């Protein structure tokens, strides 16, 4: 008996596996994507000034070729709105046949990108530039298609379309305008309809109803889609351009780069959508192989160009539809291409009935969707709104390539400005009793020769003879800036002034002959993190010398660190914290209730990387939860408030190593008749469980931990159980509120997580972690 070749056997096995597993999900999803793809492909071809059949060819080739050979299982490839401006310009300059050759060559270049593993390089382009480019394309599409929708002809440039639009609006409109406006109205209304209705793709319904209306009116002057006798008749070989080869090479590079960037950005977005969908279904999603996806996109563009189709990219509209329709594998994208092929071959008559105004209305909505408010809000948060706006305007006013280059140059300039820019601030703190003024000068960022003019202007405002706290928070200090600072310090001290230098960062100001007034210090943590003792001793308060009332033993000496710290907070941190507090002004919705020990070494926000509004924190000695909630109601009241009023989804109990409360339990201090002794009695069940051989304690002993830490770990496990009993007595189950035990190991700085299946605390690197819906780390 002859044996099947290994490759064919593997393919046959994968085919059988797909048919038995994913087909029941991919088949219905492919039909939904097909219904979305047909009207979009026709509209994009019309907007590109290309034969309408080219859009269907691109949809077929993109679905089948990129679906089979690409690296993204759920991405759907086809003609995209992001290339309409480029294709329209190429068609007007070189003709359609040469544009097909450019598309095929761009596909080969994409294959080379993939083979050279350059896919991730395309992701280095700033999102502000990409979104600005798409917004400019969207505006260009809208300005052109509005003329088609109103029954006219678009101009050659977006500016010409904008100038001619008022005259077009003032003219008499016929059935074309009514059809186009009806399509726009349906597409805007569709997402607001009930969910069962929205399962039918809105573009399909809008174009179908518009076509039926056109058939009823039977207006002979109404422009309709023109198709050759069949899709096969539209397939032809491309022709090489006969002139301007440098422009052809630039066009090939432009198509390849834009198609690659758009496809890869779409693939990363699809990965996020697929991961969320798989998590809801209890599955694991397969991430995209970006280099393989680049090769698949290149092959699809190569075949599309050879067959007379439009350039293709990964399309987020079809891909998100594919994910939301429940697709599990690449079979959905391939089948969608097959359905488009059958439609184009068998139902050409229906395509020729579609009015161009209906496709124009569809494209107006598609163009507007490219200008996303969420993108504008996001780039504004990252201080890149200028890049976004300039790129979009450049695409509209000039062309796509020049617009992107302008945006790229501006982005580089802004990055360089941020890199070389230093913040220099000087403020008068107060006047000393002796009449000498006290000033504070703060320099932050990269201090280079470019900052010397501004540095000199700010330092010039400091009066001679004053006491100056000069603080350098710099990551780079070049020779010119060093010389200027050194000269200014010497000059200021020559007038009788004092300069207290405080440096934070690797760029320390050093001199060959340091004087007592120039206090050079080692690298220290930032003040928002470091303890008072690490910086206040080196940073005198207001007068430069402590007053008599502040001498050791005085009443104010104990409060001095607090006063200095508060002043530093107002000077440094208050303005940065204010935006977060403003968002919480109407109330807070914390992610977790955090019960921990009163030990001053435990910093909940630091060890959980959280901020204002994230944690509802309760502290007590030993992180205990009294079992008698009537006698000791403080913790119970806090838990009730967190669960019933704030609706937190998680309760966290965090113990720590070397706990003084655990030392007290081991030493029998719970027998004392004191406030501390009476409180520690709530820890007796934990001590009894540890002595009885609690599994958590045995595991800690096996790890070589001291008895006090063994007891602290058992205590966390016990308090977790008490909290669950407290919630269960009030009808709150684990599906609504989860409870997690944590242990902060001070000597190593690690936050350990209680693994209740293994009955031991483990560090996060030792296990696979996922982020739960509550926003905290769970094993």
């Amino acid at each position: 008996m002859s044996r099947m070749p290994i490759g064919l056997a593997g393919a046959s096995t994968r085919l059988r596996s797909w048919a038995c597993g994913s087909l029941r999900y991919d088949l219905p999803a492919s039909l939904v994507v097909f219904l979305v793809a047909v009207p979009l492909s026709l509209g994009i071809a019309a907007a590109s000034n290309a034969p309408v059949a080219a859009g269907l060819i691109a949809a077929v080739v993109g679905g089948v070729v990129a679906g089979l050979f690409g690296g993204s299982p759920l991405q759907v490839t086809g003609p995209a709105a992001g290339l309409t401006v480029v294709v329209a310009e190429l068609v007007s300059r070189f003709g359609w046949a040469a544009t097909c050759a450019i598309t095929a060559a761009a596909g080969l270049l994409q294959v080379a990108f993939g083979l050279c593993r350059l896919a991730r390089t395309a992701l280095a382009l700033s999102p502000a530039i990409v979104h600005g480019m798409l917004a400019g394309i969207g505006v260009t599409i809208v300005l052109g298609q509005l003329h088609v929708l109103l029954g006219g002809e678009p101009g050659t440039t977006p500016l010409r379309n904008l100038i001619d639009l008022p005259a077009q609006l003032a003219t008499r409109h016929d059935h074309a305008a009514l059809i186009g406006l009806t399509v726009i109205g349906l597409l805007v209304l569709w997402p607001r309809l009930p969910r069962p209705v929205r399962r039918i793709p809105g573009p399909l319904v809008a174009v179908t109803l518009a076509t039926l209306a056109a058939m009823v009116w039977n207006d002979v002057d109404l422009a309709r889609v023109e198709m050759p006798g069949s899709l096969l008749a539209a397939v032809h070989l491309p022709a090489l351009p006969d002139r301007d080869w440098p422009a052809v090479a630039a066009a090939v590079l432009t198509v390849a780069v834009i198609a690659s960037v758009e496809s890869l950005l779409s693939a990363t977005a699809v990965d996020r959508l697929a991961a969320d969908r798989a998590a809801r279904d209890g599955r694991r999603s397969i991430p995209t192989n970006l280099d393989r996806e680049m090769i698949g996109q290149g092959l699809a563009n190569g075949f599309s160009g050879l067959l007379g189709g439009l350039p293709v990219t990964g399309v987020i509209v079809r891909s998100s539809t594919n994910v939301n329709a429940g697709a599990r594998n690449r079979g959905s994208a391939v089948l969608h291409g097959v359905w488009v092929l059958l439609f184009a071959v068998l139902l050409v008559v229906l395509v020729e009935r579609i009015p161009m105004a209906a496709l124009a209305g569809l494209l107006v909505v598609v163009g507007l969707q490219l200008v996303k408010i969420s993108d504008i809000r996001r780039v504004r948060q990252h201080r890149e709104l200028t890049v976004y706006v300039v790129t979009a305007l450049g695409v509209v006013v000039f062309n796509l390539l020049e617009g992107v280059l302008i945006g790229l140059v501006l982005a580089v300039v802004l990055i360089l400005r941020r890199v070389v820019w230093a913040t220099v601030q000087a403020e008068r703190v107060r006047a000393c009793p002796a009449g000498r003024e006290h000033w504070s000068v703060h320099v932050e960022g990269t201090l280079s020769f470019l900052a010397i003019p501004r540095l000199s202007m700010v330092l010039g405002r400091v009066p001679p003879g004053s006491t100056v706290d000069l603080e350098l928070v710099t990551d780079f200090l070049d020779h010119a800036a060093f010389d200027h600072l050194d000269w200014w310090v010497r000059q200021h001290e020559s007038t009788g002034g004092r300069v207290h230098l405080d440096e934070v960062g690797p760029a320390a100001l050093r001199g060959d002959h340091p004087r007592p007034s120039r206090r050079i210090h080692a690298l220290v943590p930032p003040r928002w993190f470091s303890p008072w003792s690490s910086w206040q001793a080196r940073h005198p308060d207001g007068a430069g010398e402590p007053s008599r009332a502040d001498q050791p033993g005085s009443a104010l000496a104990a409060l001095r660190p607090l006063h200095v710290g508060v002043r530093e907070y107002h000077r440094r941190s208050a303005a940065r914290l204010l935006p977060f507090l403003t968002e919480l002004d109407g109330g807070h919705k914390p992610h977790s209730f955090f019960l921990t020990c009163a030990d001053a070494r435990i910093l909940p926000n630091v060890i959980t990387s959280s901020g204002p509004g994230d944690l509802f924190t309760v502290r007590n000695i030993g992180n205990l939860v009294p079992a008698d909630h009537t006698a000791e109601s403080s913790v119970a009241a806090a838990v009730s408030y967190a669960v019933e009023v704030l609706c937190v989804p998680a309760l966290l109990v965090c113990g720590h190593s070397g706990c003084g409360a655990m030392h007290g339990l081991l030493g029998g201090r719970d027998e004392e008749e004191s406030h501390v002794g009476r409180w520690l009695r709530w820890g007796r069940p934990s001590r009894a469980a540890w002595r009885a051989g609690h599994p958590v304690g045995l595991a800690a002993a096996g790890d070589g931990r001291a008895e006090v830490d063994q007891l602290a770990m058992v205590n966390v496990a016990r308090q977790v159980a008490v909290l669950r009993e407290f919630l269960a007595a009030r009808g709150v189950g684990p599906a609504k509120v989860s409870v997690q035990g944590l242990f902060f190991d001070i000597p190593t700085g690690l936050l350990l997580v209680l693994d209740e299946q293994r009955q031991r605390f483990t560090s996060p690197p030792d296990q696979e972690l996922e982020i739960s819906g509550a926003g905290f780390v769970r094993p």
Side-chain angles (χ1 to χ4, degrees):
M1 180 180 293
S2 62
R3 295 185 177 180
M4 184 181 296
I6 295 177
L8 293 179
S12 177
T13 301
R14 288 193 298 270
L15 181 61
R16 286 196 303 270
S17 175
W18 171 71
C20 296
S22 300
L23 178 59
R24 62 193 180 101
Y25 300 102
D26 293 342
L27 180 59
S30 68
L31 292 172
V32 176
V33 178
F34 153 72
L35 295 176
V36 173
V38 169
L40 289 177
S41 300
L42 296 173
I44 290 169
S48 303
N49 294 333
V52 175
L56 298 176
I57 293 173
V60 173
V61 174
V64 175
V65 177
L68 288 175
F69 298 100
S72 179
L74 296 177
Q75 176 157 263
V76 180
T77 299
L83 281 168
T84 52
V85 175
V86 176
V87 175
E89 185 177 348
L90 294 180
V91 172
S92 64
R93 183 170 184 178
F94 299 107
W96 173 243
T99 301
C100 292
I102 291 173
T103 300
L108 294 178
L109 188 57
Q110 285 182 283
V111 172
F113 288 162
L115 293 176
C116 295
R117 300 184 180 277
L118 298 178
R120 295 189 182 275
T121 305
L123 299 178
L125 194 62
S126 170
I129 297 176
V130 176
H131 296 319
M133 176 192 73
L134 294 177
I137 292 170
V139 172
T140 302
I141 292 173
V142 171
L143 292 176
Q145 294 305 308
L146 280 175
H147 288 273
V148 179
L149 182 147
L150 296 173
E153 292 292 332
T156 56
T157 64
L159 289 181
R160 173 52 55 188
N161 288 327
L162 181 61
I163 294 172
D164 295 342
L165 188 58
Q168 186 71 256
L169 291 171
T171 59
R172 178 180 176 272
H173 304 300
D174 52 11
H175 292 151
L178 185 58
I179 288 174
L181 293 174
T182 301
V183 169
I184 293 176
L186 282 172
L187 292 176
V188 172
L189 178 64
W190 204 255
R192 296 169 174 79
L193 295 179
R195 184 179 297 273
V197 178
R198 284 188 280 122
R199 291 180 179 177
I200 306 174
L204 177 68
V205 174
V207 173
T208 301
L209 292 178
T211 304
L212 293 175
M215 293 172 64
V216 171
W217 284 326
N218 197 23
D219 188 346
V220 294
D221 295 329
L222 191 63
R224 289 178 168 83
V225 173
E226 296 181 2
M227 284 280 290
S230 67
L231 187 65
L232 297 177
V235 176
H236 60 82
L237 294 176
L240 293 176
D242 56 0
R243 66 185 187 280
D244 205 357
W245 288 104
V248 172
V252 170
L253 182 62
T254 300
V255 173
V257 170
I258 294 176
S260 300
V261 171
E262 189 168 349
S263 297
L264 296 176
L265 292 176
S266 174
T268 55
V270 171
D271 280 351
R272 297 190 187 101
L273 294 175
D276 293 341
R277 178 81 186 206
R280 291 196 299 267
D281 297 341
R283 300 179 292 107
R284 284 182 175 272
S285 61
I286 303 174
T288 296
N289 183 326
L290 294 179
D291 292 310
R292 180 180 170 183
E293 180 64 18
M294 183 80 84
I295 294 173
Q297 294 291 330
L299 291 174
N301 268 318
F303 280 105
S304 183
L306 291 176
L307 296 175
L310 289 171
V312 298
T313 71
V315 188
I316 189 60
V317 175
R318 304 178 203 191
S319 302
S320 60
T321 302
N322 191 39
V323 174
N324 293 330
R328 294 287 181 87
N329 215 320
R330 63 183 70 246
S332 176
V334 176
L335 286 175
H336 124 274
V338 174
W339 307 143
V340 175
L341 176 62
L342 294 176
F343 172 83
V345 171
L346 301 178
L347 300 174
V348 176
V349 177
L350 293 180
V351 177
E352 292 176 335
R353 300 275 186 177
I354 299 175
M356 294 296 295
L359 298 182
L362 173 63
L363 286 169
V364 167
V365 176
V366 171
L368 291 175
Q369 289 174 343
L370 292 178
V371 186
K372 298 181 179 179
I373 301 300
S374 59
D375 291 339
I376 297 175
R377 188 179 296 114
R378 192 175 300 113
V379 298
R380 183 174 179 273
Q381 290 175 346
H382 291 278
R383 297 185 298 171
E384 294 181 324
L385 183 60
T386 303
V387 176
Y388 176 92
V389 173
V390 169
T391 303
L393 290 177
V395 171
V396 174
V397 175
F398 301 102
N399 56 49
L400 189 139
L401 182 59
E402 292 181 7
V404 171
L405 289 177
I406 292 172
L408 184 60
V409 170
L410 178 61
V412 172
V413 170
L414 292 179
I415 289 174
L416 290 177
R417 179 184 180 277
R418 292 171 185 171
V419 169
V420 303
W421 185 262
T423 301
V424 185
Q425 296 176 335
E427 61 179 348
R428 179 177 177 270
V429 180
R430 68 181 183 184
C432 296
R436 177 183 296 169
E437 290 191 350
H438 179 214
W439 281 68
S440 173
V441 178
H442 178 75
V443 183
E444 185 173 359
T446 299
L447 195 57
S448 66
F449 65 95
L450 297 173
I452 290 180
R454 189 171 65 262
L455 177 65
S456 176
M457 179 183 66
V458 174
L459 292 176
R461 303 206 314 257
V462 178
S466 59
T467 297
V468 180
D469 294 332
L470 176 58
E471 182 179 20
L472 301 180
V473 187
T474 57
D475 50 20
F476 177 76
L477 178 67
D478 73 356
H479 186 221
F482 168 83
D483 281 346
H484 184 79
L485 279 173
D486 185 68
W487 168 81
W488 182 84
V489 170
R490 294 175 186 272
Q491 184 186 49
H492 189 76
E493 292 179 346
S494 68
T495 65
R498 297 181 180 181
V499 178
H500 301 291
L501 182 63
D502 188 9
E503 295 166 296
V504 180
L509 179 63
R510 299 178 179 88
D512 294 332
H513 305 286
R515 293 181 300 281
S517 63
R518 181 177 301 171
R519 297 186 293 177
I520 311 300
H521 305 294
L523 177 65
V524 296
R527 293 185 184 173
W528 53 264
F529 178 78
S530 61
W532 291 338
S533 59
S534 72
W535 61 272
Q536 287 197 7
R538 299 175 288 101
H539 186 72
D541 68 351
E545 297 292 341
S547 64
R548 181 172 299 177
D550 288 342
Q551 296 299 325
S554 68
L556 294 179
L559 295 178
R560 182 177 175 277
L562 173 65
H563 293 166
V564 177
V566 170
R567 186 172 66 249
E568 287 294 302
Y569 161 74
H570 288 154
R571 188 165 70 93
R572 296 168 170 273
S573 307
R576 298 181 180 180
L577 187 62
L578 184 59
F580 299 98
L581 298 178
T582 303
E583 293 180 2
L584 301 172
D585 190 38
H588 66 139
K589 296 291 291 183
H591 296 134
S592 304
F593 170 92
F594 197 92
L595 172 64
T596 190
C597 186
D599 193 294
R601 297 169 294 180
I602 311 301
L603 306 174
N605 290 114
V606 173
I607 62 179
T608 59
S609 299
S610 56
D614 291 336
L615 299 179
F616 183 74
T617 304
V618 174
R619 287 178 176 268
N620 62 46
I621 298 175
N623 44 273
L624 300 175
V625 181
D628 189 343
H629 307 300
T630 302
E632 292 285 354
S633 60
S634 175
V635 177
V639 174
S640 298
Y641 185 80
V643 174
E644 298 169 7
V645 179
L646 300 178
C647 300
V648 298
L651 305 182
L652 309 178
V653 181
C654 181
H656 67 96
S657 60
C659 180
M662 300 302 109
H663 275 294
L665 283 171
L666 290 175
R669 192 169 181 184
D670 56 298
E671 302 294 339
E672 298 177 1
E673 284 300 326
S674 63
H675 292 296
V676 174
R678 284 191 291 270
W679 173 256
L680 289 180
R681 290 168 189 173
W682 297 113
R684 287 175 176 175
S686 298
R687 182 178 61 191
W690 170 67
R691 288 174 175 172
H694 194 284
V696 171
L698 295 177
D703 293 336
R705 294 191 177 275
E707 290 185 347
V708 65
D709 292 348
Q710 297 173 29
L711 176 56
M713 289 182 169
V714 171
N715 180 59
V716 170
R718 279 284 310 151
Q719 306 315 315
V720 166
V722 173
L723 280 177
R724 286 185 178 145
E725 293 171 1
F726 177 83
L727 295 176
R730 285 151 182 79
V732 180
K736 182 178 180 181
V737 178
S738 57
V739 186
Q740 175 74 63
L742 304 172
F743 184 85
F744 184 56
D745 188 36
I746 294 176
T748 62
L750 294 178
L751 183 62
L752 309 180
V753 182
L754 176 60
D755 185 342
E756 297 189 58
Q757 292 183 346
R758 299 165 58 190
Q759 286 291 289
R760 64 183 303 120
F761 281 87
T762 60
S763 58
D766 295 335
Q767 55 186 323
E768 184 178 357
L769 295 177
E770 61 182 6
I771 303 300
S772 75
F776 62 95
V777 180
R778 297 182 61 189

